[in-house]
Short mmCIF file of all heavy atoms in Angstrom, two decimals:
data_model
loop_
_atom_site.label_atom_id
_atom_site.label_comp_id
_atom_site.label_asym_id
_atom_site.label_seq_id
_atom_site.Cartn_x
_atom_site.Cartn_y
_atom_site.Cartn_z
N MET A 1 0.91 -27.16 20.85
CA MET A 1 0.54 -26.25 21.89
C MET A 1 -0.82 -25.63 21.54
O MET A 1 -1.00 -25.11 20.44
CB MET A 1 1.62 -25.16 22.00
CG MET A 1 1.24 -24.04 22.95
SD MET A 1 2.50 -22.76 23.02
CE MET A 1 3.49 -23.41 24.33
N PRO A 2 -1.79 -25.66 22.43
CA PRO A 2 -3.11 -25.09 22.15
C PRO A 2 -3.05 -23.56 22.10
O PRO A 2 -2.26 -22.94 22.79
CB PRO A 2 -3.97 -25.57 23.31
CG PRO A 2 -3.02 -25.89 24.40
CD PRO A 2 -1.73 -26.28 23.75
N ALA A 3 -3.92 -23.00 21.26
CA ALA A 3 -4.00 -21.55 21.16
C ALA A 3 -4.56 -20.98 22.46
O ALA A 3 -5.41 -21.59 23.11
CB ALA A 3 -4.88 -21.16 19.98
N MET A 4 -4.09 -19.80 22.84
CA MET A 4 -4.57 -19.16 24.06
C MET A 4 -5.99 -18.63 23.88
O MET A 4 -6.75 -18.60 24.81
CB MET A 4 -3.63 -18.05 24.48
CG MET A 4 -2.25 -18.58 24.83
SD MET A 4 -1.17 -17.36 25.51
CE MET A 4 -1.80 -17.19 27.15
N PHE A 5 -6.32 -18.23 22.69
CA PHE A 5 -7.67 -17.78 22.38
C PHE A 5 -7.90 -17.95 20.89
O PHE A 5 -6.96 -18.03 20.12
CB PHE A 5 -7.89 -16.33 22.80
CG PHE A 5 -7.03 -15.34 22.06
CD1 PHE A 5 -7.47 -14.77 20.88
CD2 PHE A 5 -5.77 -15.00 22.54
CE1 PHE A 5 -6.68 -13.87 20.19
CE2 PHE A 5 -4.97 -14.09 21.85
CZ PHE A 5 -5.42 -13.53 20.69
N GLU A 6 -9.15 -18.01 20.52
CA GLU A 6 -9.49 -18.12 19.11
C GLU A 6 -10.15 -16.83 18.66
O GLU A 6 -10.99 -16.28 19.37
CB GLU A 6 -10.43 -19.30 18.87
CG GLU A 6 -9.75 -20.63 19.05
CD GLU A 6 -10.67 -21.78 18.65
OE1 GLU A 6 -11.47 -21.60 17.72
OE2 GLU A 6 -10.57 -22.82 19.29
N CYS A 7 -9.77 -16.37 17.51
CA CYS A 7 -10.38 -15.17 16.96
C CYS A 7 -11.71 -15.55 16.32
O CYS A 7 -11.78 -16.53 15.60
CB CYS A 7 -9.48 -14.54 15.90
SG CYS A 7 -7.95 -13.89 16.56
N PRO A 8 -12.74 -14.75 16.58
CA PRO A 8 -14.02 -15.05 15.93
C PRO A 8 -13.91 -14.76 14.44
O PRO A 8 -13.10 -13.92 14.02
CB PRO A 8 -14.98 -14.07 16.61
CG PRO A 8 -14.12 -12.97 17.12
CD PRO A 8 -12.80 -13.59 17.44
N PRO A 9 -14.70 -15.43 13.62
CA PRO A 9 -14.66 -15.16 12.18
C PRO A 9 -15.16 -13.74 11.89
O PRO A 9 -16.03 -13.23 12.59
CB PRO A 9 -15.59 -16.21 11.58
CG PRO A 9 -16.47 -16.62 12.70
CD PRO A 9 -15.67 -16.45 13.97
N LEU A 10 -14.58 -13.12 10.90
CA LEU A 10 -15.01 -11.77 10.52
C LEU A 10 -16.32 -11.86 9.75
O LEU A 10 -16.47 -12.66 8.84
CB LEU A 10 -13.95 -11.11 9.64
CG LEU A 10 -12.62 -10.78 10.30
CD1 LEU A 10 -11.65 -10.23 9.25
CD2 LEU A 10 -12.80 -9.78 11.41
N SER A 11 -17.26 -11.00 10.12
CA SER A 11 -18.52 -10.97 9.39
C SER A 11 -18.40 -10.10 8.14
O SER A 11 -19.16 -10.26 7.20
CB SER A 11 -19.64 -10.46 10.29
OG SER A 11 -19.32 -9.17 10.77
N THR A 12 -17.45 -9.19 8.14
CA THR A 12 -17.17 -8.37 6.97
C THR A 12 -15.65 -8.28 6.82
O THR A 12 -14.93 -8.33 7.80
CB THR A 12 -17.74 -6.95 7.12
OG1 THR A 12 -17.21 -6.35 8.28
CG2 THR A 12 -19.25 -6.95 7.20
N PRO A 13 -15.18 -8.13 5.60
CA PRO A 13 -13.74 -8.02 5.41
C PRO A 13 -13.20 -6.72 6.01
O PRO A 13 -13.92 -5.73 6.11
CB PRO A 13 -13.55 -8.04 3.90
CG PRO A 13 -14.89 -7.90 3.30
CD PRO A 13 -15.92 -8.11 4.36
N GLY A 14 -11.97 -6.74 6.40
CA GLY A 14 -11.35 -5.56 6.98
C GLY A 14 -9.94 -5.39 6.44
O GLY A 14 -9.40 -6.26 5.77
N LEU A 15 -9.36 -4.26 6.76
CA LEU A 15 -8.02 -3.95 6.31
C LEU A 15 -7.31 -3.19 7.42
O LEU A 15 -7.89 -2.27 8.02
CB LEU A 15 -8.08 -3.10 5.04
CG LEU A 15 -6.78 -2.72 4.38
CD1 LEU A 15 -6.04 -3.96 3.89
CD2 LEU A 15 -7.06 -1.78 3.22
N PHE A 16 -6.09 -3.56 7.70
CA PHE A 16 -5.29 -2.90 8.72
C PHE A 16 -4.03 -2.38 8.06
O PHE A 16 -3.28 -3.14 7.47
CB PHE A 16 -4.94 -3.89 9.84
CG PHE A 16 -4.23 -3.27 11.00
CD1 PHE A 16 -4.95 -2.62 11.99
CD2 PHE A 16 -2.85 -3.34 11.10
CE1 PHE A 16 -4.29 -2.04 13.07
CE2 PHE A 16 -2.20 -2.76 12.18
CZ PHE A 16 -2.92 -2.12 13.17
N VAL A 17 -3.82 -1.08 8.11
CA VAL A 17 -2.64 -0.47 7.50
C VAL A 17 -1.64 -0.15 8.61
O VAL A 17 -1.99 0.48 9.60
CB VAL A 17 -3.01 0.82 6.73
CG1 VAL A 17 -1.78 1.49 6.16
CG2 VAL A 17 -4.01 0.51 5.63
N THR A 18 -0.41 -0.60 8.42
CA THR A 18 0.61 -0.36 9.43
C THR A 18 1.91 0.06 8.75
O THR A 18 2.09 -0.14 7.54
CB THR A 18 0.83 -1.63 10.29
OG1 THR A 18 1.75 -1.33 11.34
CG2 THR A 18 1.36 -2.78 9.47
N GLY A 19 2.79 0.65 9.49
CA GLY A 19 4.09 1.07 8.98
C GLY A 19 5.12 1.02 10.07
O GLY A 19 4.81 0.85 11.24
N THR A 20 6.36 1.18 9.68
CA THR A 20 7.46 0.99 10.62
C THR A 20 7.85 2.25 11.39
O THR A 20 8.65 2.17 12.31
CB THR A 20 8.71 0.49 9.88
OG1 THR A 20 9.03 1.43 8.85
CG2 THR A 20 8.47 -0.88 9.29
N ASP A 21 7.30 3.40 11.02
CA ASP A 21 7.72 4.63 11.68
C ASP A 21 6.66 5.70 11.50
O ASP A 21 5.68 5.52 10.77
CB ASP A 21 9.05 5.10 11.09
CG ASP A 21 9.84 5.99 12.03
OD1 ASP A 21 9.30 6.40 13.08
OD2 ASP A 21 11.01 6.28 11.73
N THR A 22 6.87 6.82 12.12
CA THR A 22 6.02 7.99 11.94
C THR A 22 6.33 8.63 10.60
O THR A 22 7.48 8.61 10.14
CB THR A 22 6.30 9.00 13.08
OG1 THR A 22 5.96 8.38 14.31
CG2 THR A 22 5.49 10.26 12.93
N ASP A 23 5.31 9.18 9.96
CA ASP A 23 5.48 9.94 8.73
C ASP A 23 6.00 9.10 7.56
O ASP A 23 6.80 9.56 6.75
CB ASP A 23 6.41 11.14 8.97
CG ASP A 23 6.10 12.30 8.04
OD1 ASP A 23 4.96 12.38 7.55
OD2 ASP A 23 7.01 13.12 7.81
N VAL A 24 5.52 7.85 7.47
CA VAL A 24 5.90 6.99 6.35
C VAL A 24 4.77 6.84 5.33
O VAL A 24 4.93 6.15 4.33
CB VAL A 24 6.39 5.59 6.80
CG1 VAL A 24 7.65 5.71 7.61
CG2 VAL A 24 5.32 4.85 7.56
N GLY A 25 3.61 7.45 5.59
CA GLY A 25 2.54 7.44 4.61
C GLY A 25 1.34 6.57 4.94
O GLY A 25 0.50 6.31 4.07
N LYS A 26 1.21 6.11 6.18
CA LYS A 26 0.07 5.25 6.55
C LYS A 26 -1.26 5.97 6.33
O LYS A 26 -2.19 5.41 5.75
CB LYS A 26 0.20 4.80 8.01
CG LYS A 26 1.43 3.99 8.32
CD LYS A 26 1.52 3.64 9.79
CE LYS A 26 1.67 4.81 10.72
NZ LYS A 26 2.96 5.49 10.69
N THR A 27 -1.35 7.20 6.79
CA THR A 27 -2.60 7.95 6.66
C THR A 27 -2.89 8.26 5.20
O THR A 27 -4.03 8.12 4.74
CB THR A 27 -2.55 9.24 7.49
OG1 THR A 27 -2.34 8.89 8.87
CG2 THR A 27 -3.84 10.04 7.37
N VAL A 28 -1.87 8.65 4.44
CA VAL A 28 -2.06 8.95 3.01
C VAL A 28 -2.55 7.70 2.28
O VAL A 28 -3.49 7.77 1.49
CB VAL A 28 -0.75 9.49 2.40
CG1 VAL A 28 -0.87 9.61 0.89
CG2 VAL A 28 -0.39 10.82 3.01
N ALA A 29 -1.92 6.56 2.55
CA ALA A 29 -2.33 5.31 1.90
C ALA A 29 -3.76 4.94 2.29
O ALA A 29 -4.57 4.54 1.44
CB ALA A 29 -1.37 4.18 2.28
N THR A 30 -4.10 5.10 3.56
CA THR A 30 -5.44 4.76 4.03
C THR A 30 -6.48 5.70 3.43
O THR A 30 -7.58 5.26 3.04
CB THR A 30 -5.50 4.79 5.56
OG1 THR A 30 -4.49 3.92 6.07
CG2 THR A 30 -6.85 4.33 6.08
N CYS A 31 -6.17 6.98 3.31
CA CYS A 31 -7.08 7.92 2.66
C CYS A 31 -7.30 7.53 1.21
O CYS A 31 -8.43 7.60 0.71
CB CYS A 31 -6.54 9.35 2.77
SG CYS A 31 -6.67 10.09 4.41
N ALA A 32 -6.24 7.12 0.53
CA ALA A 32 -6.37 6.71 -0.87
C ALA A 32 -7.24 5.47 -1.00
O ALA A 32 -8.07 5.38 -1.91
CB ALA A 32 -4.98 6.45 -1.47
N ILE A 33 -7.07 4.51 -0.11
CA ILE A 33 -7.89 3.30 -0.12
C ILE A 33 -9.36 3.65 0.14
O ILE A 33 -10.26 3.17 -0.54
CB ILE A 33 -7.37 2.27 0.91
CG1 ILE A 33 -6.01 1.74 0.47
CG2 ILE A 33 -8.38 1.14 1.10
CD1 ILE A 33 -5.27 1.00 1.57
N ALA A 34 -9.59 4.52 1.12
CA ALA A 34 -10.96 4.93 1.45
C ALA A 34 -11.60 5.66 0.27
O ALA A 34 -12.77 5.42 -0.06
CB ALA A 34 -10.97 5.81 2.70
N ALA A 35 -10.84 6.54 -0.38
CA ALA A 35 -11.38 7.28 -1.52
C ALA A 35 -11.68 6.34 -2.69
O ALA A 35 -12.73 6.46 -3.34
CB ALA A 35 -10.38 8.36 -1.96
N ALA A 36 -10.79 5.39 -2.95
CA ALA A 36 -11.02 4.42 -4.04
C ALA A 36 -12.24 3.57 -3.75
O ALA A 36 -13.05 3.29 -4.64
CB ALA A 36 -9.79 3.55 -4.23
N THR A 37 -12.41 3.18 -2.50
CA THR A 37 -13.57 2.39 -2.11
C THR A 37 -14.85 3.19 -2.34
O THR A 37 -15.83 2.69 -2.87
CB THR A 37 -13.46 1.97 -0.63
OG1 THR A 37 -12.27 1.21 -0.46
CG2 THR A 37 -14.65 1.15 -0.18
N ARG A 38 -14.81 4.45 -1.96
CA ARG A 38 -15.96 5.33 -2.14
C ARG A 38 -16.27 5.54 -3.62
O ARG A 38 -17.43 5.53 -4.03
CB ARG A 38 -15.70 6.65 -1.44
CG ARG A 38 -16.94 7.48 -1.23
CD ARG A 38 -16.66 8.67 -0.38
NE ARG A 38 -16.18 9.73 -1.24
CZ ARG A 38 -15.72 10.89 -0.81
NH1 ARG A 38 -15.61 11.11 0.47
NH2 ARG A 38 -15.32 11.80 -1.66
N GLU A 39 -15.24 5.71 -4.44
CA GLU A 39 -15.43 5.92 -5.88
C GLU A 39 -16.06 4.69 -6.54
O GLU A 39 -16.73 4.81 -7.57
CB GLU A 39 -14.10 6.25 -6.56
CG GLU A 39 -13.62 7.65 -6.26
CD GLU A 39 -12.24 7.93 -6.82
OE1 GLU A 39 -11.71 7.09 -7.59
OE2 GLU A 39 -11.68 8.98 -6.47
N GLN A 40 -15.85 3.51 -5.97
CA GLN A 40 -16.45 2.29 -6.49
C GLN A 40 -17.87 2.09 -5.95
O GLN A 40 -18.46 1.03 -6.12
CB GLN A 40 -15.59 1.08 -6.12
CG GLN A 40 -14.23 1.08 -6.75
CD GLN A 40 -13.36 -0.05 -6.22
OE1 GLN A 40 -13.78 -0.87 -5.41
NE2 GLN A 40 -12.13 -0.10 -6.67
N HIS A 41 -18.37 3.11 -5.27
CA HIS A 41 -19.71 3.08 -4.68
C HIS A 41 -19.85 1.95 -3.66
O HIS A 41 -20.92 1.37 -3.51
CB HIS A 41 -20.79 2.98 -5.76
CG HIS A 41 -20.70 4.08 -6.77
ND1 HIS A 41 -21.06 5.37 -6.47
CD2 HIS A 41 -20.25 4.09 -8.04
CE1 HIS A 41 -20.86 6.12 -7.53
NE2 HIS A 41 -20.36 5.38 -8.50
N ARG A 42 -18.75 1.67 -3.00
CA ARG A 42 -18.77 0.68 -1.91
C ARG A 42 -18.69 1.45 -0.61
O ARG A 42 -17.96 2.42 -0.49
CB ARG A 42 -17.59 -0.27 -2.05
CG ARG A 42 -17.63 -1.04 -3.36
CD ARG A 42 -16.46 -1.92 -3.52
NE ARG A 42 -16.62 -3.04 -2.61
CZ ARG A 42 -15.70 -3.96 -2.42
NH1 ARG A 42 -14.56 -3.90 -3.04
NH2 ARG A 42 -15.91 -4.95 -1.59
N ARG A 43 -19.43 1.01 0.34
CA ARG A 43 -19.51 1.72 1.62
C ARG A 43 -18.58 1.06 2.63
O ARG A 43 -18.55 -0.16 2.75
CB ARG A 43 -20.95 1.67 2.13
CG ARG A 43 -21.17 2.49 3.36
CD ARG A 43 -22.66 2.60 3.65
NE ARG A 43 -22.83 3.13 4.98
CZ ARG A 43 -23.09 2.42 6.04
NH1 ARG A 43 -23.26 1.12 5.95
NH2 ARG A 43 -23.22 2.98 7.21
N THR A 44 -17.85 1.86 3.38
CA THR A 44 -17.07 1.32 4.48
C THR A 44 -18.03 1.19 5.65
O THR A 44 -18.41 2.18 6.27
CB THR A 44 -15.88 2.24 4.84
OG1 THR A 44 -16.36 3.55 5.02
CG2 THR A 44 -14.84 2.25 3.75
N ARG A 45 -18.47 -0.02 5.91
CA ARG A 45 -19.56 -0.26 6.88
C ARG A 45 -19.27 0.29 8.27
O ARG A 45 -20.12 0.90 8.88
CB ARG A 45 -19.84 -1.75 6.98
CG ARG A 45 -20.52 -2.28 5.78
CD ARG A 45 -20.92 -3.69 6.00
NE ARG A 45 -21.44 -4.22 4.75
CZ ARG A 45 -21.89 -5.41 4.61
NH1 ARG A 45 -21.92 -6.23 5.63
NH2 ARG A 45 -22.34 -5.81 3.45
N LEU A 46 -18.11 0.02 8.75
CA LEU A 46 -17.78 0.48 10.10
C LEU A 46 -16.91 1.72 10.08
O LEU A 46 -16.48 2.19 11.12
CB LEU A 46 -17.08 -0.65 10.88
CG LEU A 46 -17.90 -1.92 11.03
CD1 LEU A 46 -17.09 -2.99 11.73
CD2 LEU A 46 -19.18 -1.65 11.79
N GLY A 47 -16.67 2.25 8.90
CA GLY A 47 -15.87 3.45 8.78
C GLY A 47 -14.39 3.16 8.89
O GLY A 47 -13.93 2.05 8.69
N VAL A 48 -13.67 4.19 9.20
CA VAL A 48 -12.22 4.10 9.37
C VAL A 48 -11.88 4.56 10.77
O VAL A 48 -12.65 5.25 11.41
CB VAL A 48 -11.49 4.97 8.32
CG1 VAL A 48 -11.67 4.44 6.93
CG2 VAL A 48 -11.95 6.41 8.41
N MET A 49 -10.72 4.16 11.23
CA MET A 49 -10.31 4.64 12.55
C MET A 49 -8.81 4.73 12.62
O MET A 49 -8.09 4.07 11.89
CB MET A 49 -10.85 3.75 13.66
CG MET A 49 -10.17 2.45 13.82
SD MET A 49 -10.75 1.68 15.33
CE MET A 49 -10.08 0.07 15.11
N LYS A 50 -8.37 5.59 13.47
CA LYS A 50 -6.95 5.75 13.76
C LYS A 50 -6.84 5.48 15.26
O LYS A 50 -7.06 6.38 16.08
CB LYS A 50 -6.50 7.16 13.40
CG LYS A 50 -5.01 7.36 13.57
CD LYS A 50 -4.58 8.67 12.98
CE LYS A 50 -3.12 8.87 13.15
NZ LYS A 50 -2.32 8.28 12.10
N PRO A 51 -6.51 4.24 15.62
CA PRO A 51 -6.54 3.88 17.04
C PRO A 51 -5.52 4.60 17.90
O PRO A 51 -5.74 4.81 19.09
CB PRO A 51 -6.30 2.37 17.04
CG PRO A 51 -5.72 2.05 15.72
CD PRO A 51 -6.15 3.12 14.77
N PHE A 52 -4.40 5.01 17.31
CA PHE A 52 -3.37 5.73 18.06
C PHE A 52 -2.97 6.96 17.27
O PHE A 52 -2.68 6.87 16.08
CB PHE A 52 -2.13 4.86 18.29
CG PHE A 52 -2.42 3.62 19.07
CD1 PHE A 52 -2.57 2.41 18.42
CD2 PHE A 52 -2.59 3.67 20.43
CE1 PHE A 52 -2.86 1.26 19.12
CE2 PHE A 52 -2.88 2.53 21.15
CZ PHE A 52 -3.02 1.32 20.50
N ALA A 53 -2.98 8.10 17.92
CA ALA A 53 -2.61 9.33 17.24
C ALA A 53 -1.93 10.27 18.23
O ALA A 53 -2.27 10.30 19.41
CB ALA A 53 -3.85 10.01 16.66
N THR A 54 -0.97 11.00 17.73
CA THR A 54 -0.34 12.03 18.56
C THR A 54 -0.68 13.38 17.97
O THR A 54 -0.84 13.52 16.76
CB THR A 54 1.19 11.86 18.60
OG1 THR A 54 1.68 11.93 17.26
CG2 THR A 54 1.58 10.54 19.22
N GLY A 55 -0.81 14.34 18.80
CA GLY A 55 -1.13 15.69 18.35
C GLY A 55 -2.61 15.85 18.10
O GLY A 55 -3.22 15.07 17.41
N CYS A 56 -3.18 16.87 18.72
CA CYS A 56 -4.59 17.16 18.52
C CYS A 56 -4.83 18.63 18.82
O CYS A 56 -3.96 19.32 19.33
CB CYS A 56 -5.46 16.28 19.41
SG CYS A 56 -5.15 16.48 21.16
N ARG A 57 -6.01 19.06 18.48
CA ARG A 57 -6.39 20.43 18.78
C ARG A 57 -7.74 20.41 19.50
O ARG A 57 -8.54 19.49 19.32
CB ARG A 57 -6.46 21.26 17.51
CG ARG A 57 -7.49 20.81 16.52
CD ARG A 57 -7.45 21.67 15.26
NE ARG A 57 -8.23 21.07 14.20
CZ ARG A 57 -9.56 21.13 14.10
NH1 ARG A 57 -10.26 21.77 15.01
NH2 ARG A 57 -10.19 20.54 13.11
N GLN A 58 -7.95 21.43 20.28
CA GLN A 58 -9.21 21.55 21.02
C GLN A 58 -10.24 22.20 20.11
O GLN A 58 -9.97 23.22 19.49
CB GLN A 58 -9.01 22.39 22.28
CG GLN A 58 -10.24 22.52 23.14
CD GLN A 58 -10.66 21.21 23.77
OE1 GLN A 58 -9.86 20.51 24.33
NE2 GLN A 58 -11.93 20.89 23.65
N ALA A 59 -11.40 21.59 19.99
CA ALA A 59 -12.51 22.14 19.23
C ALA A 59 -13.76 22.03 20.08
O ALA A 59 -13.75 21.39 21.14
CB ALA A 59 -12.69 21.37 17.92
N LYS A 60 -14.85 22.63 19.63
CA LYS A 60 -16.08 22.56 20.42
C LYS A 60 -16.56 21.12 20.58
O LYS A 60 -17.22 20.79 21.55
CB LYS A 60 -17.17 23.44 19.82
CG LYS A 60 -17.66 23.01 18.47
CD LYS A 60 -18.75 23.93 17.97
CE LYS A 60 -19.24 23.45 16.61
NZ LYS A 60 -20.34 24.25 16.12
N GLU A 61 -16.20 20.24 19.60
CA GLU A 61 -16.58 18.83 19.67
C GLU A 61 -15.68 18.04 20.63
O GLU A 61 -15.97 16.91 20.96
CB GLU A 61 -16.50 18.17 18.29
CG GLU A 61 -17.38 18.78 17.25
CD GLU A 61 -16.70 19.92 16.49
OE1 GLU A 61 -15.56 20.29 16.84
OE2 GLU A 61 -17.31 20.46 15.56
N GLY A 62 -14.58 18.62 21.04
CA GLY A 62 -13.61 17.94 21.89
C GLY A 62 -12.24 17.95 21.23
O GLY A 62 -11.96 18.81 20.40
N LEU A 63 -11.41 17.00 21.56
CA LEU A 63 -10.08 16.91 20.96
C LEU A 63 -10.18 16.28 19.58
O LEU A 63 -10.82 15.24 19.41
CB LEU A 63 -9.15 16.08 21.85
CG LEU A 63 -8.85 16.68 23.23
CD1 LEU A 63 -8.01 15.70 24.04
CD2 LEU A 63 -8.15 18.01 23.11
N LEU A 64 -9.55 16.91 18.59
CA LEU A 64 -9.58 16.42 17.22
C LEU A 64 -8.17 16.23 16.69
O LEU A 64 -7.29 17.03 16.97
CB LEU A 64 -10.35 17.38 16.32
CG LEU A 64 -11.82 17.59 16.63
CD1 LEU A 64 -12.42 18.64 15.71
CD2 LEU A 64 -12.58 16.28 16.51
N ASN A 65 -7.98 15.18 15.92
CA ASN A 65 -6.70 14.87 15.30
C ASN A 65 -6.83 15.08 13.80
O ASN A 65 -7.79 14.61 13.18
CB ASN A 65 -6.30 13.43 15.62
CG ASN A 65 -5.06 13.01 14.88
OD1 ASN A 65 -5.16 12.47 13.79
ND2 ASN A 65 -3.90 13.25 15.47
N GLU A 66 -5.87 15.75 13.20
CA GLU A 66 -5.90 16.07 11.77
C GLU A 66 -5.95 14.82 10.90
O GLU A 66 -6.69 14.77 9.92
CB GLU A 66 -4.65 16.89 11.43
CG GLU A 66 -4.59 17.40 10.02
CD GLU A 66 -3.35 18.24 9.79
OE1 GLU A 66 -3.25 19.31 10.43
OE2 GLU A 66 -2.50 17.82 9.00
N ASP A 67 -5.18 13.79 11.24
CA ASP A 67 -5.19 12.55 10.45
C ASP A 67 -6.55 11.86 10.53
O ASP A 67 -7.08 11.39 9.52
CB ASP A 67 -4.11 11.58 10.93
CG ASP A 67 -2.71 12.03 10.56
OD1 ASP A 67 -2.56 12.97 9.76
OD2 ASP A 67 -1.76 11.42 11.08
N ALA A 68 -7.12 11.80 11.71
CA ALA A 68 -8.43 11.16 11.88
C ALA A 68 -9.50 11.92 11.09
O ALA A 68 -10.40 11.31 10.49
CB ALA A 68 -8.80 11.08 13.35
N GLU A 69 -9.41 13.25 11.07
CA GLU A 69 -10.36 14.04 10.28
C GLU A 69 -10.20 13.77 8.79
O GLU A 69 -11.19 13.66 8.06
CB GLU A 69 -10.16 15.53 10.55
CG GLU A 69 -10.61 15.96 11.93
CD GLU A 69 -10.40 17.44 12.15
OE1 GLU A 69 -9.25 17.90 12.13
OE2 GLU A 69 -11.43 18.13 12.32
N ALA A 70 -8.96 13.62 8.32
CA ALA A 70 -8.73 13.31 6.91
C ALA A 70 -9.32 11.95 6.55
O ALA A 70 -9.96 11.80 5.51
CB ALA A 70 -7.23 13.35 6.60
N LEU A 71 -9.11 10.97 7.41
CA LEU A 71 -9.66 9.64 7.17
C LEU A 71 -11.18 9.69 7.07
O LEU A 71 -11.78 9.09 6.18
CB LEU A 71 -9.22 8.66 8.26
CG LEU A 71 -7.75 8.33 8.31
CD1 LEU A 71 -7.42 7.53 9.57
CD2 LEU A 71 -7.34 7.55 7.07
N ALA A 72 -11.81 10.38 7.99
CA ALA A 72 -13.27 10.50 7.97
C ALA A 72 -13.74 11.18 6.69
O ALA A 72 -14.73 10.78 6.09
CB ALA A 72 -13.76 11.26 9.19
N HIS A 73 -13.02 12.20 6.26
CA HIS A 73 -13.39 12.91 5.04
C HIS A 73 -13.33 11.98 3.82
O HIS A 73 -14.28 11.90 3.04
CB HIS A 73 -12.47 14.11 4.82
CG HIS A 73 -12.60 14.73 3.47
ND1 HIS A 73 -13.66 15.55 3.13
CD2 HIS A 73 -11.83 14.64 2.36
CE1 HIS A 73 -13.53 15.92 1.88
NE2 HIS A 73 -12.41 15.39 1.38
N PHE A 74 -12.20 11.29 3.63
CA PHE A 74 -12.04 10.45 2.45
C PHE A 74 -12.93 9.22 2.48
O PHE A 74 -13.28 8.68 1.43
CB PHE A 74 -10.58 10.07 2.25
CG PHE A 74 -9.77 11.21 1.72
CD1 PHE A 74 -8.97 11.97 2.54
CD2 PHE A 74 -9.82 11.52 0.37
CE1 PHE A 74 -8.24 13.03 2.04
CE2 PHE A 74 -9.08 12.58 -0.15
CZ PHE A 74 -8.29 13.34 0.70
N ALA A 75 -13.31 8.76 3.66
CA ALA A 75 -14.23 7.62 3.77
C ALA A 75 -15.68 8.08 3.74
O ALA A 75 -16.59 7.26 3.72
CB ALA A 75 -13.95 6.84 5.05
N ASP A 76 -15.88 9.41 3.77
CA ASP A 76 -17.23 9.99 3.79
C ASP A 76 -18.04 9.48 4.97
O ASP A 76 -19.16 9.00 4.83
CB ASP A 76 -17.95 9.72 2.47
CG ASP A 76 -19.18 10.61 2.30
OD1 ASP A 76 -19.21 11.69 2.90
OD2 ASP A 76 -20.13 10.20 1.59
N CYS A 77 -17.43 9.56 6.14
CA CYS A 77 -18.14 9.18 7.37
C CYS A 77 -17.80 10.21 8.44
O CYS A 77 -16.87 10.99 8.32
CB CYS A 77 -17.79 7.77 7.81
SG CYS A 77 -16.06 7.52 8.19
N GLN A 78 -18.56 10.21 9.51
CA GLN A 78 -18.35 11.18 10.58
C GLN A 78 -17.29 10.70 11.55
O GLN A 78 -17.14 9.56 11.79
CB GLN A 78 -19.65 11.44 11.32
CG GLN A 78 -20.68 12.08 10.43
CD GLN A 78 -21.96 12.38 11.18
OE1 GLN A 78 -22.08 12.11 12.37
NE2 GLN A 78 -22.92 12.94 10.48
#
């Protein structure tokens, strides 16, 4: 059976962290990976992202999520 689509080759390596439920440590693990990467003086080229998040607060910058802010902090990106 032919593939419905082909994925383009990655130009840089990536990592996707997933878990089976809420509050199982995905963000903590990702922060640790980002911090370790930073300590090795390696740059996360495209940064980190949290594509789905629940809960946010209103700030002057707009809606902010605590987990996404933690990821940005540990990856040292905005």
